[in-house]
Amino acid sequence: MAPAFYKSYLKFTAFVVGSFGPVFFLGSMLATSEPARWALDFLSFPVDGAQDYAAPTTRFLSALTGGFLFGWGVCIWCLQKWVYDAAPEGVRKSVLTSLVAWCVLDSAGSLASGNTSNVFFNIFFLLLAAGPLWKPINVNPIAQ
């Protein structure tokens, strides 16, 4: 695949990661917490209404999570925009490594907290966000 395809896919990856940020940010305020509450309920399948955002500590954790996810998505976007052309393989490896690190730690925490179903969602989102990034970039223009 051409390096340009990887660069454009990184925009999609940034969107996949960053789009969860605003959802969880909204969870920081009780009046707008329903999308975040529903997302947690869905990710801890089955959807049974057991997740709630009544506790201030849950809303605070949601604010932190939203900020981290949005910031991570923006970072991936900036890497594809300002760094990719100079170091496409380095950007690919960095983004892929960060996605794998997230998936491993999030999945371990999901298992430890009794939310096994989230491991399967994590694997789905890892595959979606990583897409072609698993394959090294051929930066030799002659070989294309």
Side-chain angles (χ1 to χ4, degrees):
M1 280 181 249
F5 176 74
Y6 287 86
K7 186 175 183 178
S8 63
Y9 198 87
L10 284 166
K11 290 178 181 179
F12 177 75
T13 302
F15 178 77
V16 168
V17 172
S19 65
F20 285 92
V23 172
F24 285 103
F25 162 75
L26 290 172
S28 66
M29 300 163 283
L30 199 52
T32 57
S33 64
E34 183 55 24
R37 190 214 58 78
W38 186 88
L40 281 182
D41 200 14
F42 181 77
L43 294 172
S44 65
F45 204 80
V47 178
D48 55 9
Q51 307 298 318
D52 90 40
Y53 265 68
T57 53
T58 303
R59 293 193 306 275
F60 176 57
L61 186 57
S62 194
L64 294 174
T65 302
F68 288 138
L69 287 169
F70 188 72
W72 184 20
V74 168
C75 182
I76 293 169
W77 187 277
C78 291
L79 285 170
Q80 71 80 29
K81 181 158 181 64
W82 296 319
V83 181
Y84 183 86
D85 291 336
E89 189 62 8
V91 169
R92 180 194 74 83
K93 288 178 181 178
S94 296
V95 172
L96 185 58
T97 301
S98 73
L99 290 169
V100 171
W102 154 77
C103 187
V104 168
L105 195 62
D106 190 301
S107 295
S110 294
L111 288 171
S113 67
N115 292 286
T116 306
S117 64
N118 191 52
V119 174
F120 299 104
F121 289 113
N122 287 347
I123 292 168
F124 170 77
F125 281 110
L126 172 64
L127 295 173
L128 182 68
L133 301 177
W134 295 105
K135 186 176 177 192
I137 298 170
N138 182 359
V139 293
N140 181 356
I142 295 171
Q144 295 176 9

